[in-house]
Amino acid sequence: MIILTYEEYYGCQLDGLKRVEQVLLDIIRKYPTQSYPNGVEPVLYCKTRIKEPESMIRKLERRKIPADGVTALEMIHDAVGMRIVCSFLDDVYKIASWLRTCPEFEIIETKDYIAYPKPNGYRSLHLVLSFPSVSNQKFMAEIQL
């Protein structure tokens, strides 16, 4: 397998992906924590990433989709991802509710693996987001809470 850089794989769309990643970080930093008693932080851990080209290619190949960067951004929702680990289960739903009010993106899909865990026991709430762009390219991202 040929190893591609992010620039080689995502091309001119890489800057847009980086902007989306930064917007996600900026938004979660604005989450209001004043209402949480005793200094309890609702967000224990937060990490973002742009999916590595090799990982994206494997995902596309598993789905029998052309494995180029353009197709990846059209067909796959998690080129940009954010994982948020919360202190308590209720915090997951509070943060998700708050995220629904953010004007920077539109939540186009919710996958609730907390209410409906996967057979392997995986529990999480996934939000698939769509970000408008000035260049007629819509960027997608996925948040895992």
Side-chain angles (χ1 to χ4, degrees):
M1 174 188 251
I2 297 172
I3 307 272
L4 298 172
T5 66
Y6 285 91
E7 292 81 6
E8 290 169 329
Y9 188 68
Y10 293 114
C12 62
Q13 300 303 327
L14 182 59
D15 285 340
L17 295 172
K18 288 178 181 178
R19 279 193 302 277
V20 166
E21 183 180 30
Q22 188 59 54
V23 166
L24 288 175
L25 285 168
D26 292 344
I27 287 170
I28 203 63
R29 285 186 188 116
K30 294 178 190 173
Y31 182 70
T33 59
Q34 307 87 295
S35 62
Y36 286 84
N38 302 324
V40 173
E41 288 293 326
V43 176
L44 291 176
Y45 172 83
C46 180
K47 177 80 173 153
T48 61
R49 60 96 179 111
I50 296 173
K51 190 178 270 303
E52 293 180 354
E54 291 75 26
S55 176
M56 182 64 85
I57 290 167
R58 284 191 304 273
K59 186 173 194 171
L60 290 162
E61 287 174 345
R62 277 193 311 271
R63 295 181 180 193
K64 303 204 183 320
I65 299 172
D68 61 279
V70 172
T71 303
L73 295 179
E74 290 173 359
M75 304 295 292
I76 302 299
H77 298 147
D78 68 342
V80 177
M82 173 181 261
R83 176 168 291 136
I84 300 171
V85 177
C86 296
S87 298
F88 300 102
L89 189 59
D90 287 350
D91 294 334
V92 169
Y93 291 106
K94 287 178 187 174
I95 293 170
S97 178
W98 177 78
L99 286 168
R100 285 183 176 81
T101 69
C102 294
E104 294 87 350
F105 54 80
E106 177 185 356
I107 297 175
I108 60 169
E109 185 178 0
T110 300
K111 303 176 212 171
D112 191 340
Y113 300 119
I114 296 170
Y116 306 99
K118 288 188 172 187
N120 65 3
Y122 177 78
R123 297 178 68 201
S124 183
L125 182 70
H126 292 219
L127 304 174
V128 178
L129 316 175
S130 175
F131 289 79
S133 172
V134 292
S135 63
N136 290 333
Q137 168 75 37
K138 271 195 172 179
F139 290 98
M140 307 294 284
E142 188 164 339
I143 297 176
Q144 298 175 1
L145 290 154

